[in-house]
Amino acid sequence: MPGLYGTEQLDGWKKVTRAVHEAGGKIVVQLWHVGRISHTSLQPGHAKPVAPSAIRAHAKTVLLKDGVPTFTDTSEPRALDAEELPRIVQDYRHAARNAIAAGFDGVEVHGANGYLIDQFLRDGTNKRDDAYGGPVENRARLLREVAEAVLSVWEPGQVGVRLSPTNPFNDIADSNPQATFETVVAQLNQYGLGYLHVVEDRTDGFDYQKLRRIFNGAYMANGGYERDSAIDAVESEQADFIAFGKLFIANPDLPERLRLNTGFNPAREESFYAGGAEGYDDYPFLAAGN
């Protein structure tokens, strides 16, 4: 995944943000730390990945083997000491500053999908007994500290947070996701964020509309939406706006396709996370005149 901490990376991102702005668009960068979803060979000194608790994920990460991106079992992590967490928070603050220097229009704090912040939020991966574990108010401490670090650099309206209350991706779960994430969202209200981005699974019985009612800002829904379902969700006020993922990967001109109500390129999921250009920037645009 791309970084946002070195000069060479910023130089590359400036080209991207410039191109987006020249095309009349806006671009927001998502900041995240993978935590235990890693491998010793990717760590300095081949150290163990870090996590809230030393619980190995039954999940995969991507390594280069003989130059070929290969899905590999994640390594056993070690539990972070509480004294290490301020440095991680500072890393987010540093990245948020770099996002300004690189020309981004906003920042999204990634607290979803089984990565580090989500690992702290959910009691299936957070077994700590210190100020960052136990009740949800403690498990959400790292998210609050990261949000405050980012907000020390950016205006609140330019900052969002992404959550995935029931998504089991990367071997993660919570014993009571409804109560956990209602509390988390209520705590986020103190920051006046620009939006809340929620990865929904509308088949699991979770009351996502309760989160929408609790949150004081704009609500972005994400989860398998297509044109008609997205329009219906906004018109029925179930969401303020919709995020597209796989559909956007496969359709680089997705806004135009949505406007014209035309067909979509099918996504080639076998190429996801494959590490090369194939399946990344080679999907066709609409033919002229379509």
Side-chain angles (χ1 to χ4, degrees):
M1 62 193 67
L4 190 60
Y5 49 84
T7 301
E8 205 172 333
Q9 295 163 342
L10 264 65
D11 290 343
W13 279 121
K14 288 174 183 176
K15 297 175 183 177
V16 174
T17 58
R18 186 181 308 118
V20 170
H21 293 150
E22 288 174 352
K26 302 285 187 182
I27 181 168
V28 174
V29 65
Q30 192 180 72
L31 303 182
W32 48 317
H33 186 310
V34 300
R36 68 178 187 159
I37 306 302
S38 187
H39 192 273
T40 54
S41 65
L42 299 172
Q43 300 295 320
H46 298 287
K48 289 183 176 183
V50 297
S53 302
I55 302 172
R56 185 173 187 167
H58 297 290
K60 304 284 187 180
T61 190
V62 178
L63 302 181
L64 279 178
K65 294 187 176 180
D66 298 323
V68 178
T70 305
F71 282 102
T72 306
D73 290 342
T74 56
S75 297
E76 180 183 351
R78 67 171 180 84
L80 282 157
D81 292 332
E83 292 75 17
E84 295 178 278
L85 292 170
R87 180 187 61 77
I88 289 177
V89 172
Q90 178 58 30
D91 287 343
Y92 277 92
R93 182 180 289 109
H94 177 66
R97 289 196 186 101
N98 282 346
I100 293 176
F104 287 97
D105 299 293
V107 166
E108 179 175 288
V109 175
H110 192 347
N113 298 105
Y115 298 111
L116 185 66
I117 291 176
D118 202 17
Q119 292 161 28
F120 270 87
L121 291 176
R122 304 214 217 181
D123 61 12
T125 42
N126 186 341
K127 304 298 185 181
R128 302 173 73 93
D129 59 5
D130 61 5
Y132 292 88
V136 63
E137 291 80 7
N138 285 3
R139 303 199 311 269
R141 184 183 300 272
L142 180 62
L143 172 58
R144 295 196 306 272
E145 291 178 350
V146 168
E148 290 164 7
V150 171
L151 289 165
S152 72
V153 179
W154 287 84
E155 292 297 319
Q158 294 172 286
V159 177
V161 168
R162 172 180 167 111
L163 300 173
S164 58
T166 62
N167 189 323
F169 185 62
N170 284 323
D171 188 31
I172 197 161
D174 190 84
S175 64
N176 190 347
Q178 192 75 51
T180 292
F181 285 91
E182 285 179 15
T183 300
V184 170
V185 171
Q187 290 182 351
L188 291 175
N189 275 332
Q190 65 185 296
Y191 301 119
L193 299 172
Y195 66 91
L196 178 68
H197 177 182
V198 179
V199 180
E200 301 177 345
D201 179 350
R202 296 178 297 283
T203 66
D204 60 14
F206 188 94
D207 187 354
Y208 294 98
Q209 287 302 295
K210 185 73 177 293
L211 299 189
R212 172 158 168 70
R213 292 191 296 272
I214 291 171
F215 187 61
N216 291 336
Y219 181 92
M220 179 199 294
N222 177 333
Y225 285 92
E226 295 191 356
R227 184 181 189 276
D228 291 345
S229 57
I231 291 172
D232 180 67
V234 173
E235 288 184 345
S236 63
E237 299 185 349
Q238 295 178 55
D240 294 295
F241 51 116
I242 304 298
F244 296 97
K246 294 177 184 178
L247 203 59
F248 228 138
I249 291 172
N251 296 275
D253 51 357
L254 182 61
E256 186 68 10
R257 290 174 185 264
L258 293 172
R259 277 192 290 269
L260 296 174
N261 194 16
T262 187
F264 302 116
N265 299 319
R268 304 194 298 274
E269 297 196 22
E270 68 277 4
S271 67
F272 289 0
Y273 306 103
E278 183 179 353
Y280 180 67
D281 65 356
D282 59 350
Y283 285 98
F285 286 74
L286 283 169
N290 285 6

